[in-house]
Amino acid sequence: MKHAYVFPGQGSQFPGMGKNLYDTNAKAKELFERANEILGFRISDIMFSGTEEDLKQTKVTQPAVFLHAVIAFLCTEHSQPDMVAGHSLGEFSALVANGALSFEEALKLVAIRANAMQKACELQPSTMAAVLALDDAKVEEITAAVTAETGEVVVAANYNCPGQLVISGTVKGVEIACERMKAAGAKRALVLPVGGAFHSPLMAPAKEELKAAIETATFNTPSCPVYQNVVAKAVTNPEEIKQNLIDQLTGAVRWTQSVQAMVADGATEFTEVGPGKVLQGLVQKIYKEAVVNGIENK
């Protein structure tokens, strides 16, 4: 019986996030103020009193979700994790939780990642789409066929839970793939309101920028394994952790497989730390017997 801590990614943000922590916990207040200094703008003000639109800016969204999760973890009573994982951006929060990265080092990397991804999005019109109730293998088959036949980039990007997969690529590639998914029996194939093709080859320019930053950052030996998105297995070697973080920008988020690997390694309880309850729902769909709960997810 092991306790896994999981951390959400982009899309879990909401107006007012983190305010309760700031107002009620002196250590949390200190960490938010340190984050404002590191980032060079008062992200706490945007988190606490900004609009949904304000929070959607990539340079704000990623650090905001990271800060809410990590500060909740550092400032709330909890047991020691036996294993950690994060969904996409959430992997950086997980690496603070297991000691592989310091709070400051991780925040700097998240800010660099956010800005690099924003720039990559602006280079070419691209998007993502959610595909429901279609077998993973069929989704992979259709995306590969669309790419081969049209030259448009489209790949499976997020394996969220059985029957819920997100594809990513050029606008045209995703549109063609969505039509074929529906024809193949998908319950839905819906283009998402995102500004880019995350976790696809179109993020290659951002990958180079993030790689340069990660290679100069200090990574420690973690206190427990992290189950990383691109390999979906336990990792403790700092050099492997770094490479997997770099590969994640253009590689798929294998969340289903990561949770299955944690369960196979003994996880019975999952605690989501940070904004929202998305991961709690996904974990429950992947492993129905799991005990799931959350810390500071309102």
Side-chain angles (χ1 to χ4, degrees), residues 7-13 17 58 60-67 69-70 85-95 106-107 109-111 113-114 117 199 229 245 248-249 253 275:
F7 300 83
Q10 201 163 336
S12 298
Q13 68 277 4
M17 61 191 290
T58 300
V60 173
T61 313
Q62 294 194 24
V65 172
F66 166 84
L67 287 170
V70 167
H87 191 284
S88 188
L89 161 74
E91 201 156 275
F92 287 87
S93 308
L95 291 170
L107 178 58
L109 290 176
V110 166
R113 180 184 189 268
M117 287 171 77
H199 303 291
N229 293 174
L245 273 182
Q248 191 214 78
L249 272 191
V253 174

Side-chain angles (χ1 to χ4, degrees), residues 136 159-162 164 232 253-261 286:
D136 288 358
Y159 295 78
N160 286 332
C161 68
Q164 189 191 122
V253 174
R254 299 185 180 277
W255 187 252
T256 301
Q257 298 88 335
S258 296
V259 173
Q260 288 168 339
I286 297 163

Side-chain angles (χ1 to χ4, degrees), residues 166-198:
V166 176
I167 60 172
S168 183
T170 59
V171 172
K172 191 175 175 186
V174 168
E175 285 172 354
I176 295 167
C178 281
E179 289 308 311
R180 294 195 188 180
M181 305 274 180
K182 285 185 245 183
K187 190 174 173 184
R188 291 181 83 180
L190 185 72
V191 176
L192 299 170
V194 296
F198 305 135

Side-chain angles (χ1 to χ4, degrees), residues 134-146:
L134 195 62
D135 187 70
D136 288 358
K138 191 66 184 171
V139 174
E140 291 163 357
E141 180 192 313
I142 291 170
T143 54
V146 171

